[in-house]
Amino acid sequence: MRVLKFGGSSLADAAAITHVVRLARKHSEPRESVLVCSACAGVTNRLAQIIDLMRDDQGIRALAGVWALRKRHRAILFSLELGAEQARVWNELEDLGAGLRESIAGTAARDADGAWADSVLSYGERASARLVAGALRNLAVRAEAVDATRFLITDANFQNAAPLREETRHRGREILLPLVERGVIPVVTGFIGATMDGVTTTLGRNSSDFSAAIVGDVLDADEVWLWTDVDGVFDRDPRGGAELRGPDSPDEEFTLLEELTYDEALHLANCGAKALHPRTIEPLREKNTILRIRNTFRPEHPGTRVGGRDNAQPAPTSSTPLAEESAAQ
Ligand code: ADP
Ligand code: ASP
Ligand code: MG
């Protein structure tokens, strides 16, 4: 089983999503793959601003922000040209948007608490999972969006919730395995979960990597791949300017770290290597699950491999095209 996670930087617009679903199809084995998606780039930041506006008693500006997000998702959907899938995804997005607007319009600044904020923050991943699932179906790949609130059970520490492992495993297998066995790729929302009582939570900013590792743990996956916008984990932020190259050696190249132990990866993540959320490591190391960090926009590059050093394998570059298998069903 392989979990493929796509970050917001890989889902910024329709062109990126079109590229992502082709990549996902190429690297998915029938009945062996699950996707995890972040919100489209910038959407969670925008939702966080909307929450601040609400708390600042600026409800009208908050609602305007929600309308702007609706417009952005609608533009992505229409540019995707999903044919027969378009109406279904549009209805799904409209339902999500209506819920969000009700929640903004019906909440007073003093009631904008942590639980309310997480329900607002969850909108981005719920929307992107539906766009990606629709785009996969449009390629004749069977796929369904799955809200992680249905199985990723956490404590009630809103904005930084911790998963309850046993309950999550039990519910996750109950929900995901029947889909996988039917040849349907679950497209799971990153970043979000729910309490035992069904109240939406989030796992902390940038935590969709962690969600992917949790899904990997639930399904006893062999590998978890984080597709992002750089070639892997480097010794410093590869998007940094000259100042990050150091005063003594301004021309020094950034070094891609091709193989890392779990401890090394954790250390780098804790030191700010944003391509990898630090909590990702914990669910993987126990089962020696291989983690790969790869570049969505340079998929020919093998990326960084974390763990699994004993039976090191290069990153696979192709596999059975799912479209053919789906078309035969
Ligand atoms: P995603 O949207 O895929 O989750 P993120 O923005 O969370 O992507 O993480 C990828 C970004 O992490 C890269 O664009 C890069 O600028 C930044 N980054 C910071 N430090 C490092 C590092 N040491 N190695 C790789 N990337 C890093
Ligand atoms: N969308 C969430 C965030 O921006 C989670 C993630 O991208 O990993 O923090
Ligand atoms: Mg990230």
Side-chain angles (χ1 to χ4, degrees), residues 5-9 38 205-209 226-228 273-277:
K5 176 258 171 179
F6 291 94
S9 56
S38 295
R205 291 302 309 269
N206 204 24
S207 62
S208 293
D209 302 341
L226 308 179
W227 289 98
T228 185
K274 196 185 165 218
L276 177 60
H277 189 283

Side-chain angles (χ1 to χ4, degrees), residues 236 240-254:
R236 290 151 293 154
E243 73 285 357
L244 276 177
R245 292 171 195 262
D248 301 332
S249 49
D251 297 327
E252 190 190 328
E253 286 299 318
F254 297 105

